[in-house]
Amino acid sequence: MSTDVIMPQMGESIAEGTVTRWLKQVGDHVKRDEPLFEISTDKVDAEIPSPAEGVLLEILVQEGQTVEINTIVARIGAEGEVPAEDAGASTPAPEAAEPATAQPAPQAVPEPVTAQAAPQPEMKTPQPVASGDGGTTTAADELTVRRKTKSSPLVRNIAKEHGVDLTLIDGTGSGGRVTKRDILKYVEQGAKPEIPAPSVAPAPAPAAPGTLAPQPAAAPAQPAVSFPPGERVARETMSIMRKKIAEHMIMSRRTSAHVQTWQECDMSNVVRRRKELKDQFEREGVNLTFTSFIAEAAVRSLQAFPLVNASIEGEDTIVYHKDVNLGIAVALDWGLIVPVVKQAQQMNLLGLSTAIGDLAERARTKRLDVEEVQGGTFTITNPGVFGSLMGAPIINQPQVAILGVGVIKKRPVVIDDAIAIRPIMYLSLSFDHRLIDGAEAAKFLSHVVGELEKS
């Protein structure tokens, strides 16, 4: 009997996933727990293992398709087995039995008796329910609204960003649920957010004698990017991860009041200490990188400045996190992902190095669990490994700060009125000015520099 392969739920708030690549084709033999296909969700890209051993009989969801969780995407069975649905379709339906030969009616025909109609089930009229605008809606309407608005957090965020009322969209999901594909299609079609008109439009105030009446301001037009025919360009659709990164970054810029501050750091002691410990860590199977030292310094500084490890809830509530859940940005060939080292304050340098190396490796091989990219309280991004001098990274919501790391490079510096050559690194801190002031940010960054220079 064939085994159904379903779209898994990769997190409590995730309602759908996109098949990005099939690692096996129809007719291929697969082992249990062998990677079968890759998916992309709101939170993470992952390889999905096969639930059983056998032959991939059929693929029901093609690459690029987005479906809800628990949707059957493929079937696995024995060699030569016909999928259950196909087998049922190929079985001929039994022929209808011949109608029985009518018997001759008796000569005495009884008087006809008026047949009583079977009682019809009582049809209940939907009871009106008061709506917010003073009118009434039916209970069925209320149910439809609840189904449409019960969408994933990503769908609600997109709707909020574009000012779209989810109840206006015909959802294709279960029970009329609006999926990510529905909201993006609605936005791409140029739908405008509906603004309810007041019941009585206020009359414009009369203009003073000798003056012109004020004219309504025209909305600024969005510049359309177009290329003339014959232009040497190539077009391709953004990957799912690229779209999600774009959505999250725009949302972060709209949410936080971004401000940056920079400081330089003498990495001489870190370079010396890394050289001393490198062989010892390699014997433990751990690669000791500069990122580990920076993470250690950041954790200590976050404990000294808990406001930088906090979040903003609603409009005016500060949430102080008791744990330092450290996000480490990992650059992938197809995008960027930020796995999280949970309770980093409980780890020493070896523990941090082990956790960072493990998460980075599993991020590159698409073996992260969704819980491992959630719950971060502070993030470190290190473009310095690619030669970047400094940067101004965008805050990873709902955090309030992110540390940017530049390249370590030998530079001339003045030490005790003498010029010396030292390995210098620039650090940047992007912080949310709604919560953190410039003085607090500068003190925090100075603390990080101090922890590194005394290593």
Side-chain angles (χ1 to χ4, degrees):
M1 184 176 180
S2 63
T3 301
D4 292 337
V5 182
I6 65 169
M7 175 64 70
Q9 183 170 17
M10 298 297 292
E12 191 172 317
S13 63
I14 295 177
E16 61 188 14
T18 302
V19 176
T20 55
R21 185 161 70 106
W22 282 99
L23 304 176
K24 297 290 184 179
Q25 300 302 319
V26 173
D28 291 350
H29 184 271
V30 293
K31 297 179 180 179
R32 182 181 178 86
D33 295 329
E34 181 181 8
L36 182 60
F37 64 105
E38 295 177 357
I39 67 169
S40 181
T41 70
D42 294 353
K43 303 294 183 183
V44 69
D45 286 4
E47 288 183 348
I48 306 302
S50 172
E53 182 172 0
V55 174
L56 184 58
L57 300 178
E58 60 179 338
I59 293 175
L60 302 176
V61 176
Q62 302 302 316
E63 293 179 357
Q65 283 187 262
T66 301
V67 295
E68 293 189 349
I69 59 171
N70 298 325
T71 299
I72 299 175
V73 299
R75 289 190 174 92
I76 294 174
E79 185 77 41
E81 182 179 349
V82 179
E85 288 190 1
D86 293 346
S90 62
T91 304
E95 295 183 2
E98 289 287 337
T101 305
Q103 298 295 328
Q107 294 179 357
V109 180
E111 293 184 2
V113 180
T114 303
Q116 295 184 352
Q120 297 295 324
E122 181 183 356
M123 300 298 290
K124 294 185 178 181
T125 303
Q127 296 298 317
V129 180
S131 65
D133 58 1
T136 58
T137 59
T138 64
D141 293 335
E142 289 290 323
L143 178 60
T144 301
V145 169
R146 287 198 300 271
R147 284 174 173 171
K148 287 185 175 183
T149 54
K150 187 180 179 183
S151 302
S152 68
L154 178 63
V155 170
R156 294 195 294 273
N157 283 337
I158 297 173
K160 183 178 178 181
E161 289 174 21
H162 294 276
V164 174
D165 184 354
L166 287 177
T167 60
L168 303 177
I169 303 175
D170 293 328
T172 60
S174 156
R177 184 189 186 112
V178 178
T179 66
K180 178 183 174 183
R181 180 170 50 187
D182 296 330
I183 180 70
L184 290 178
K185 182 178 178 182
Y186 189 83
V187 171
E188 288 170 2
Q189 289 175 344
K192 303 294 183 183
E194 289 203 0
I195 303 174
S199 55
V200 178
T211 62
L212 295 175
Q215 299 297 320
Q222 294 292 332
V225 179
S226 61
F227 299 93
E231 190 81 15
R232 292 179 58 80
V233 297
R235 290 180 172 85
E236 66 177 26
T237 303
M238 278 187 179
S239 67
I240 295 163
M241 175 174 278
R242 191 76 261 158
K243 289 180 180 178
K244 289 184 293 187
I245 291 173
E247 292 165 2
H248 294 164
M249 294 301 96
I250 291 173
M251 181 268 288
S252 180
R253 294 289 293 186
R254 290 176 176 172
T255 301
S256 296
H258 280 69
V259 183
Q260 284 78 31
T261 186
W262 287 266
Q263 291 194 27
E264 68 176 15
C265 177
D266 185 345
M267 295 289 284
S268 298
N269 287 334
V270 173
V271 171
R272 174 189 51 78
R273 189 177 171 206
R274 179 175 180 265
K275 186 176 180 180
E276 293 172 352
L277 297 175
K278 198 172 190 311
D279 291 341
Q280 177 185 337
F281 275 57
E282 285 180 352
R283 286 194 292 270
E284 297 287 340
V286 178
N287 181 28
L288 180 59
T289 66
F290 289 112
T291 301
S292 301
F293 290 95
I294 297 165
E296 182 184 47
V299 170
R300 291 175 181 172
S301 301
L302 289 167
Q303 290 179 291
F305 294 84
L307 193 65
V308 185
N309 193 53
S311 297
I312 299 176
E313 186 177 77
E315 295 294 331
D316 55 5
T317 302
I318 303 173
V319 179
Y320 290 93
H321 301 287
K322 296 182 179 179
D323 291 325
V324 176
N325 294 335
L326 194 63
I328 304 292
V330 177
L332 308 173
D333 292 339
W334 57 93
L336 181 76
I337 196 167
V338 186
V340 178
V341 179
K342 301 292 178 67
Q343 297 182 329
Q345 80 277 5
Q346 298 181 1
M347 301 180 183
N348 57 16
L349 185 62
L350 177 60
L352 283 170
S353 300
T354 303
I356 292 171
D358 173 63
L359 288 171
E361 173 62 24
R362 289 192 291 112
R364 295 186 181 101
T365 54
K366 300 184 178 181
R367 292 184 290 116
L368 285 175
D369 295 329
V370 70
E371 292 80 10
E372 294 174 313
V373 295
Q374 293 179 331
T377 59
F378 184 82
T379 295
I380 297 175
T381 180
N382 188 359
V385 298
F386 304 108
S388 178
L389 184 64
M390 62 177 69
I394 297 176
I395 298 168
N396 188 14
Q397 297 296 325
Q399 300 165 26
V400 293
I402 180 171
L403 183 68
V405 180
V407 65
I408 301 173
K409 197 170 184 178
K410 289 185 177 180
R411 295 186 177 88
V413 295
V414 177
I415 300 177
D416 296 330
D417 293 333
I419 296 177
I421 305 299
R422 293 288 187 271
I424 301 297
M425 175 183 68
Y426 293 120
L427 291 173
S428 67
L429 183 74
S430 296
F431 59 96
D432 191 340
H433 209 340
R434 295 180 302 164
L435 183 61
I436 303 173
D437 291 330
E440 185 80 357
K443 291 176 183 177
F444 169 80
L445 198 55
S446 294
H447 196 283
V448 175
V449 170
E451 290 289 331
L452 289 169
E453 291 186 341
K454 76 179 184 182
S455 293

